[in-house]
Amino acid sequence: VLMVGKHQTPKAIQLQGFLVMGVLYTVIGVYFSSLARHRVFLLALYGMTFFFSNYGPNSTTFMMPSMTFSRPCRSTLNGVCAASGKIGALIGASLFVPLANWLGNDRVMMICATISIVAATMTTVLSSVIEDNIHLPDDHKKVPTVSSEAHLLALMQ
């Protein structure tokens, strides 16, 4: 988070987190049977997924809504974003064990890799909308603003 604005943008941090998580989950999924016999390596790789989820998407989750939405509706839409994230986490946590029992751990890791790559793609595709309408406190006069209500309606169509 300290790097934002100086060396990296929130988009770059989020993209790096998703891409590295996708690579790590793919490695775990492909080599799961070997890694299961060498649990130290499995633990290290899985631990790295937690680091990159916190470095990337988790840190930018708190920045992006406050930078994207206009002041009149910022807190409401930030709450909607937070609630959406909580619902996604609940679904993921609830499905992880049943899917692992049904499909196997290796396939669940490949599903996690796919979700990470889809999220990286969404970050890239949707970033133009966010960057065009970002609301930074210091640059509020330089950046053309569009109401967040219009953003929300446009994204929902």
Side-chain angles (χ1 to χ4, degrees):
V1 174
L2 297 174
M3 302 291 284
V4 175
K6 295 180 182 177
H7 304 288
Q8 294 190 36
T9 63
K11 173 190 166 188
I13 292 171
Q14 184 165 319
L15 195 56
Q16 290 168 13
F18 281 133
L19 290 174
V20 173
M21 284 170 42
V23 169
L24 290 169
Y25 282 128
T26 300
V27 169
I28 293 170
V30 170
Y31 298 106
F32 190 82
S33 58
S34 299
L35 290 169
R37 290 189 300 268
H38 302 93
R39 292 181 185 236
V40 172
F41 295 117
L42 178 61
L43 182 63
L45 288 171
Y46 196 66
M48 287 172 40
T49 66
F50 281 95
F51 172 80
F52 282 100
S53 73
N54 284 314
Y55 166 74
N58 285 351
S59 65
T60 57
T61 296
F62 301 103
M63 291 184 282
M64 296 305 285
S66 63
M67 295 168 63
T68 304
F69 302 126
S70 63
R71 287 180 190 233
C73 61
R74 184 175 293 163
S75 62
T76 300
L77 293 178
N78 197 356
V80 169
C81 291
S84 299
K86 301 295 182 202
I87 291 169
L90 177 67
I91 292 169
S94 299
L95 291 178
F96 191 90
V97 172
L99 281 175
N101 290 336
W102 181 46
L103 299 173
N105 290 321
D106 54 343
R107 289 190 179 125
V108 172
M109 291 298 136
M110 294 304 289
I111 291 170
C112 290
T114 303
I115 291 170
S116 295
I117 299 303
V118 167
T121 304
M122 289 177 64
T123 297
T124 303
V125 170
L126 295 177
S127 65
S128 62
V129 174
I130 292 170
E131 289 172 352
D132 288 345
N133 298 295
I134 204 159
H135 296 278
L136 295 173
D138 297 332
D139 297 333
H140 70 280
K141 293 180 182 173
K142 298 179 195 170
V143 178
T145 59
V146 174
S147 74
S148 294
E149 295 84 4
H151 258 65
L152 192 58
L153 291 174
L155 290 174
M156 293 173 76
Q157 293 179 353

